[in-house]
């Protein structure tokens, strides 16, 4: 609450702060973006909750990721990230299989280190995940740039890859069933 009051001069409830924190997963840029959107509304105290989302305009989020995040990613990382956005979690071995890039683990580690809406799960740099807002942006972009058929093939390849690994059933099924 103090952050919103000091940075954005907005009085907000603890419930709103909790929702913003949950939605942004605590990422500072996400919190700042929500605050900027709240400033633009005439009644910040009535900052609405839309379903399970704090009142953040979807198109504004897409534009933010397009202009502030995606454009600055290396061209060689864009397509792999579109593919990896289809996964709930990103094991490096699976990322290497799907993208064909032996360096994707180092790339994901570097993006996580730079706090580019990617974080590592655990301490061994073996599994990463995308922030849900970036993931949604990339999935939307994947649908237009990769196409539905290619996306289905990514899920199928991910499912087959999980089947070859130790204790694969839950992950394999989530990728092999119709998406």
């Amino acid at each position: 609450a103090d952050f919103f009051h000091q940075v954005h001069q907005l009085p907000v409830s603890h419930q709103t702060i909790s929702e913003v924190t949950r939605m942004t997963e605590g990422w500072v840029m996400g919190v700042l973006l929500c605050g900027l959107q709240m400033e633009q509304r005439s009644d910040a105290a009535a900052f609405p909750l839309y379903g399970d989302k704090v009142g953040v305009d979807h198109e504004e989020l897409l534009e933010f990721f397009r202009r502030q995040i995606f454009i600055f990613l290396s061209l060689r990382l864009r397509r792999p990230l579109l593919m990896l956005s289809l996964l709930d979690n990103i094991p490096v071995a699976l990322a290497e299989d799907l993208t064909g890039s032996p360096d994707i683990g180092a790339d994901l580690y570097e993006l996580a280190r730079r706090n580019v809406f990617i974080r590592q799960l655990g301490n061994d740099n073996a599994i990463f995940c995308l922030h849900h807002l970036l993931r949604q942006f990339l999935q939307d972009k994947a649908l237009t740039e990769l196409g539905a058929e290619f996306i289905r093939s990514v899920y199928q390849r991910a499912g087959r890859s999980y089947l070859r690994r130790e204790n694969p059933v839950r992950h394999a099924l989530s990728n092999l069933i119709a998406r």
Side-chain angles (χ1 to χ4, degrees):
D2 289 340
F3 173 81
F4 276 92
H5 182 68
Q6 291 175 0
V7 174
H8 298 289
Q9 286 78 46
L10 294 171
V12 294
S13 71
H14 288 287
Q15 178 189 2
T16 299
I17 296 299
S18 295
E19 286 298 313
V20 167
T21 302
R22 182 189 62 77
M23 181 190 156
T24 62
E25 296 177 11
W27 253 295
V28 173
M29 287 307 298
V31 173
L32 286 171
L33 182 62
C34 285
L36 289 172
Q37 288 185 348
M38 290 169 66
E39 281 181 24
Q40 295 171 359
R41 292 191 168 87
S42 59
D43 186 8
F47 186 52
L49 303 178
Y50 299 113
D52 65 344
K53 296 180 182 172
V54 175
V56 176
D57 182 84
H58 185 71
E59 289 305 314
E60 286 182 48
L61 281 174
L62 293 180
E63 190 59 28
F64 169 78
F65 282 111
R66 192 176 298 113
R67 283 185 292 131
Q68 301 296 325
I69 305 296
F70 195 73
I71 193 101
F72 294 108
L73 292 174
S74 162
L75 290 176
R76 70 177 182 78
L77 284 179
R78 291 180 186 179
R79 184 175 175 92
L81 286 174
L82 293 177
M83 295 169 64
L84 298 176
S85 73
L86 303 171
L87 306 173
D88 294 330
N89 292 318
I90 307 167
V92 171
L94 177 58
E96 290 170 351
D97 287 350
L98 291 177
T99 65
S101 172
D103 297 329
I104 194 69
D107 293 331
L108 292 171
Y109 174 79
E110 181 59 21
L111 290 171
R113 188 191 67 73
R114 291 179 25 220
N115 204 23
V116 183
F117 292 90
I118 297 173
R119 70 174 186 258
Q120 62 185 80
L121 302 176
N123 294 326
D124 60 358
N125 299 329
I127 302 176
F128 292 84
C129 72
L130 301 174
H131 184 281
H132 70 278
L133 297 173
L134 176 63
R135 186 173 178 223
Q136 181 62 54
F137 166 76
L138 292 172
Q139 286 175 342
D140 290 350
K141 194 160 186 63
L143 190 56
T144 59
E145 290 192 16
L146 302 177
E149 189 62 34
F150 185 82
I151 289 171
R152 271 192 294 283
S153 76
V154 170
Y155 284 125
Q156 293 295 311
R157 289 171 43 210
R160 286 191 300 272
S161 180
Y162 276 120
L163 284 174
R164 291 190 302 270
R165 300 184 194 293
E166 184 178 322
N167 195 15
V169 175
R170 181 175 63 88
H171 295 294
L173 288 176
S174 71
N175 285 283
L176 289 172
I177 59 175
R179 283 205 184 205

